[in-house]
Amino acid sequence: MADIKEIICNEKSFIREAEYYSNKYQIPINSTPLENCYIELSLENSLVFNEKRISNLFHKEPFLRRVKNYQREIMLKKAISYQAGKPKSILDTTAGLGRDGLIFALLGQGVTMVEENKGMCILIESALKRLPETSYFNDAKNRITVINDDSSKLKLNREDFDIIYLDPMFSTHNKSMSSKELTFLKTYIDQRQDLVNIFLKKRYKRLVVKREKNFKSDSIKKENIIYEGKSINFHVFI
Ligand SMILES: C[S@@+](CC[C@H](N)C(=O)[O-])C[C@H]1O[C@@H](n2cnc3c(N)ncnc32)[C@H](O)[C@@H]1O
């Protein structure tokens, strides 16, 4: 898997933010790129890899549609056994761009996002920082913690989280992702290991796995429930 080697920042107003990520993720700040993989910070946040770039802004299309309609995420809500006014704690073990995680937070859930790729972590944190200052977004932001780690190594007690959430593979049916983003991420992340069987051996109350509809399951346990969407299914293990 590729990962970023430097943070590029040329605008004074973003230097403090760049310094924060530089300290947290131990990555140098430069004014011009020396490497082929870096984060560039300005009003946008760009992840650049082999001269291709993507940006992650939660308040812009293609994701904005999901943000506006988060209450209509019927299958996702069923999968986490959503109850209005009764927030759950969710461990998002494959945070990615933080998009499913933000939907959970908008739905009022407490979300711990774990992502092993530093570039992706900065894309999440900087997207949260760039959200408009409204109570709607601020409340959601306050429910999110971002951790840079390999989630497969986490030791879990059953009571630690109400829901363990896994979205291991970039789906070709992801409506909140453009084909440009998908192509970029498939090369940048180059996912080989499927985490599901690792988590099925851990302790959990409810484990939810997002899968493409035509996915042939090779899980060591049979799911208790499958919630079927048009192109995505949620497999639930209890
Ligand atoms: C398909 S993406 C998740 C997309 C995410 N659900 C979203 O809505 O943006 C999978 C992500 O899991 C991350 N990942 C894979 N294995 C991991 C592990 N063992 N620990 C933490 N993150 C992992 C990858 O780096 C990738 O960013």
Side-chain angles (χ1 to χ4, degrees), residues 1 56 58 63 66 92-104 114-117 120 124 147-153 165-171 174 176-177 185 188-189 191-195 198-199 210:
M1 187 201 322
N56 189 36
F58 293 138
F63 184 59
R66 270 187 82 187
D92 182 352
T93 63
T94 53
L97 293 169
R99 295 181 177 179
D100 291 334
L102 181 69
I103 297 294
F104 291 137
V114 184
E115 170 55 55
E116 63 183 349
N117 189 280
M120 300 296 270
I124 299 171
I147 297 172
N148 176 223
D149 209 344
D150 174 354
S151 59
S152 69
K153 305 258 160 66
Y165 180 73
L166 289 98
D167 174 14
M169 301 292 171
F170 286 108
S171 162
N174 194 328
S176 63
M177 204 173 265
L185 290 168
Y188 173 66
I189 298 288
Q191 188 83 40
R192 281 188 213 107
Q193 179 197 37
D194 191 310
L195 284 178
I198 296 176
F199 274 90
K210 182 178 181 178

Side-chain angles (χ1 to χ4, degrees), residues 223-235:
E223 47 289 294
N224 299 79
I225 316 165
I226 300 180
Y227 291 106
E228 299 201 21
K230 278 192 195 125
S231 51
I232 295 286
N233 288 348
F234 291 99
H235 296 225

